[in-house]
Amino acid sequence: MKRSTPTLTLPRVFLSASIVAALAACSPTDRQGARTETSQAAGSAAAGAEKAAERTGQAIDDAGITAKVKSSLLADDQVKGLSINVDTSSGSVTLTGSAQTAAEKQRAEQLATSVAGVRSVRNDITVARGPVTPANGSGTTMKK
């Protein structure tokens, strides 16, 4: 029976020698440096993912606040909620649209301010009839 022996070609020998040389060149200090760099890269990636999660969480919170404010406007007998738009950014609510009276405008602002998570309310609702003065709720209200 004839035995065949594996033949080592020049590319295989060169590749093997390169791998051995690379491994031999890595000192414990080099390996520790590589570990440190890998750890730092992983930490940066984790921090980036955390920031993205915070932004996503804020968007979800804002959407929830908008929904709660809009629901309270629609449920209230004194406010025509379909005529009022609600926009929320970082807990700051902006009301736009129209109201029939200054009292309706003020009531909408009160309802928005009472929703949990609302930091401030900017009331840009226009009144279809009657003058609007600061006493009847125009402007911005900061929650205490």
Side-chain angles (χ1 to χ4, degrees):
M1 223 196 250
K2 195 174 181 183
R3 282 187 162 164
S4 70
T5 58
T7 58
L8 293 177
T9 62
L10 188 58
R12 285 186 182 166
V13 171
F14 182 72
L15 179 63
S16 298
S18 297
I19 292 172
V20 169
L23 291 174
C26 288
S27 68
T29 304
D30 291 338
R31 285 191 292 269
Q32 182 59 38
R35 282 189 200 112
T36 301
E37 287 176 17
T38 303
S39 178
Q40 289 171 346
S44 294
E50 192 173 304
K51 286 179 183 176
E54 287 174 10
R55 287 191 301 269
T56 302
Q58 183 61 52
I60 291 170
D61 290 347
D62 286 344
I65 290 170
T66 297
K68 289 176 187 176
V69 170
K70 189 66 173 178
S71 294
S72 67
L73 295 174
L74 290 169
D76 193 82
D77 293 335
Q78 300 172 26
V79 176
K80 296 195 185 332
L82 292 176
S83 300
I84 299 172
N85 299 311
V86 180
D87 185 44
T88 307
S89 179
S90 300
S92 297
V93 174
T94 301
L95 302 174
T96 57
S98 62
Q100 294 297 313
T101 65
E104 182 182 351
K105 176 181 176 170
Q106 183 177 13
R107 177 68 178 155
E109 186 174 330
Q110 289 171 345
L111 291 169
T113 303
S114 69
V115 171
V118 173
R119 288 198 218 163
S120 65
V121 176
R122 179 182 171 115
N123 192 342
D124 290 338
I125 297 171
T126 58
V127 178
R129 295 184 257 155
V132 178
T133 63
N136 63 18
S138 64
T140 302
T141 301
M142 299 299 288
K143 222 173 181 186
K144 294 177 185 174

